[in-house]
Amino acid sequence: MPTAPLPQFPAGFRWGVSTSAYQIEGAAEAGGRGTSIWDTFARSPGRIADGSTGDVACDHYHRYREDIALLAGLGVTAYRFSVAWPRVQPTGTGPAHPDGLDFYDRLVDELLAHDVDPVATLYHWDLPQPLEDAGGWLARDTAARFAAYADLVAARLGDRVRLWITLNEPFVHMSLGYGTGLHAPGRTLLFDAFPVAHHQLLGHGLAVAALRARSGSPVAIANNYSPVRTIGETDADRAAAAAYEALHNRLFTDPLLGRGYPEGTIGDPSVVHDRDLAVIAAPIDVLGVNYYNPTGVRAPREGSPLPFELVPLGGYPRTAFDWPVAPDGLHELLGWLHRTYGDALPPVEITESGCAYDDAPDADGRVHDPERIAYLDGHLRAVRAALHEGIDVRGYFVWSLLDNWEWAEGFTKRFGLVHVDYATRTRTPKSSYAWLRDVVTAARRKPER
Ligand code: PNW
């Protein structure tokens, strides 16, 4: 267990936790909610490790008051949740369903009553199924549908949401949802999934305009990044690492920050219309960074369909997901963003950072997760090191408040600061919750001047 006190953080540093709608809400039929691609996908046999769905999940839809009390007890200043598009527009188009917006209205008011800033993600992968049936993110029209949905949400919540996040991890949605089929909607287009990147980015840009018109709050996007480590010393290894970096780290960031698409990433150029790049490059106020781990990359073997080969990185402890615990990678990543984008880089907030372990209550009903404490301690120190180097990091959100429904892994991966017993939906704060509460309390009491 780490013992040295954490270094201090600037006054006003945002301390948060993150969740997403499909992973926690349940209540799949309540309030006139429509069907999303994740409902369809999870209900199809063989897609989810334990055969589960998010139909009930943590039942947060009915227990949100209890969950917000847990947030308040943690002392965090912000909560990042996502709005389920099919609650707001059950078919993905048309007027808002009042019950859907009512739920988020109550949630936001409850957060504010506890002095917690509502940070709303508009899209965390739960596309209304009728829009998928019309082509999903392969269809250009989905970008316009997304902006219309953003407008409805902002019209209702724009006076109280403190930070907007348009999309969550468009790279993962493209690559796992439309490229390899591991996630909903389960399409296997590999590199032909590029239009999904472009249409998500276009939807983001159009949504930024809608949000600006309805709300004075800052706007961000949450991208996932993985610092790339070249394995091997040949030119081919370096070229492979550069190709992977362009795909994973730059495809969704270069165009956002006004540089257009990295060479070699866009596939069919006719997908990109005149003026799209200007829409996509609409200024954002914050870059949301989701970080889990670095990636080792070397040259592909003969005959590989990919321009790179991913190599597991040795020398790190590993989580239950078998992901390396590499806080040095977060420091490296923040430096890379700073160097690569220079003055074009907006202030950064770490919008997700966390780890899965097989946490279970002991005989006394307590849940001890010293590995998660070590993980968070290391990653917060990495943020502090970046701050010392002059990199403008404004906040850190732990993924996640609660153990929840981890996509293709179902309920088998526990990321929470709070344990959830899925038989009873009982919440039990883990030892990491108490640790983080003490860190946040100390940081808020005595910020660096
Ligand atoms: C993120 N990968 O997803 C998401 O934003 C969360 O909803 C999710 O629960 C969390 O990370 C933990 O997985 C990812 O396979 C899903 O590399 C998969 C990958 C990365 C991020």
Side-chain angles (χ1 to χ4, degrees), residues 184-204:
R187 308 214 36 187
T188 49
L189 298 166
L190 300 175
F191 286 98
D192 292 335
F194 168 73
V196 172
H198 185 64
H199 296 146
Q200 286 186 93
L201 283 169
L202 185 62
H204 157 86

Side-chain angles (χ1 to χ4, degrees), residues 20 23 80 124-125 168-169 172 176 182-183 224 248 290 292 321 323 352 399 404-407 415:
S20 89
Q23 296 182 269
R80 174 177 174 238
H124 204 120
W125 307 345
N168 178 70
E169 300 192 353
V172 171
L176 302 190
L182 200 70
H183 280 187
N224 60 300
H248 195 145
N290 293 2
Y292 288 93
F321 231 130
W323 292 350
E352 287 184 24
W399 183 271
N404 60 47
W405 192 81
E406 176 55 32
W407 308 115
F415 276 90

